[in-house]
Amino acid sequence: MSAAALAALIRERQPCVVLTGAGVSTESGIPDFRSATGIWADIDPFEVASLPAFRRDPERVWRFYRERLDVLRDANPNAAHVALAELEERGLVQAVVTQNIDLLHTRAGSQDVVEVHGSIRSAQCPGCLWTEQADAVLAQLEARPTPTCPRCGEVLKPGVVLFGELLPAAAMERATQLARGARLVLVVGSSLEVWPVAGLPLEARAFAIVNRGPTALDEHALLKIDAGAGETLSAVLDAL
Ligand SMILES: [Zn+2]
């Protein structure tokens, strides 16, 4: 019933832009951050994933990040990623703005993906802005604890946004424009706790939410479905 209601909203309120968070990838075996079983339940993000930590102890940050890379590169897109790619293919989703760094939307076939927290695709040199692709970074990590810039020798920074770091300006600008132009922002698998991305639905004329558990904006949503992303989006596709 609620999937049918969401399908009707998507059909009626074009353009529709999707905003995804960790909950869209948990069904791919990728742990989220903030739930009771999430990554930050055991580890302090400011020790392993913040800009000050990277400056103080890049080896520790890379140790943590390399473990994540191994998990993320072994994961595969799930029914939710596939359904969102199919919705774009049918012209019912304009773009996917994602907080996820795992590349699973792209691997599922989504064409227009805006990565507002960066991605595991590459690492960057803070000195000369060289971009090193993930395969080359992993090859370096086989030989030493931190990868370095082949051009200037500085320690590379993971291509994901660290705590204390600004979001990539071009991606955030594009995400904001997409939200402002949308007649529906569909939030999937995000508890909308991490700003400024959590504010994007408020830029749109209306939004709907698919998420297990409450979000910060439930009472303002046109529709809230408290269920898993894969099952819900598959049902929405069937209803369209
Ligand atoms: Zn460099």
Side-chain angles (χ1 to χ4, degrees):
M1 189 62 194
S2 44
L6 179 55
L9 275 182
I10 292 171
R11 221 175 11 237
E12 289 157 14
R13 303 192 66 93
Q14 288 292 318
C16 169
V17 170
V18 175
L19 171 62
T20 66
V24 86
S25 290
T26 47
E27 287 165 44
S28 292
I30 297 174
D32 66 8
F33 294 100
R34 280 153 209 287
S35 74
T37 55
I39 292 173
W40 303 148
D42 296 323
I43 306 173
D44 180 355
F46 289 94
E47 294 293 318
V48 296
S50 73
L51 199 54
F54 178 72
R55 288 182 178 141
R56 193 174 60 238
D57 190 355
E59 283 194 31
R60 179 155 185 207
V61 170
W62 273 106
R63 239 184 353 257
F64 169 76
Y65 186 63
R66 188 187 178 180
E67 273 178 37
R68 289 215 67 214
L69 275 177
D70 288 339
V71 171
L72 298 179
R73 284 163 65 95
D74 283 344
N76 289 307
N78 64 53
H81 300 104
V82 171
L84 290 173
E86 172 71 21
L87 286 170
E88 184 187 23
E89 172 82 24
R90 293 194 199 175
L92 292 167
V93 160
Q94 184 183 6
V96 176
V97 176
T98 187
Q99 302 175 86
N100 299 337
I101 60 167
D102 53 35
L103 305 177
L104 293 182
H105 286 302
T106 301
R107 284 174 52 198
S110 285
Q111 300 291 312
D112 196 346
V113 181
V114 183
E115 293 160 338
V116 287
H117 287 172
S119 82
I120 62 169
R121 189 178 292 109
S122 60
Q124 272 80 41
C125 174
C128 73
L129 305 181
W130 170 267
T131 296
E132 185 89 326
Q133 297 304 313
D135 287 340
V137 171
L138 285 169
Q140 286 207 48
L141 286 170
E142 293 294 321
R144 54 181 99 78
T146 56
T148 55
C149 174
R151 208 156 63 173
C152 75
E154 267 208 51
V155 174
L156 296 174
K157 193 190 79 60
V160 302
V161 175
L162 300 176
F163 285 88
E165 195 174 22
L166 291 175
L167 301 196
M172 259 326 274
E173 173 67 22
R174 175 103 205 286
T176 304
Q177 292 307 322
L178 282 166
R180 286 182 182 154
R183 291 187 66 230
L184 182 71
V185 165
L186 171 58
V187 179
V188 185
S190 173
S191 47
L192 297 170
E193 286 171 306
V194 181
W195 287 77
V197 174
L200 284 173
L202 299 172
E203 301 279 349
R205 272 164 280 184
F207 58 92
I209 300 172
V210 177
N211 189 59
R212 267 197 213 284
T215 83
L217 295 178
D218 282 353
E219 61 188 272
H220 303 288
L222 283 182
L223 176 69
K224 163 74 190 292
I225 300 179
D226 200 315
E231 53 174 319
T232 304
L233 294 180
S234 298
V236 166
L237 264 188
D238 290 343
L240 278 163

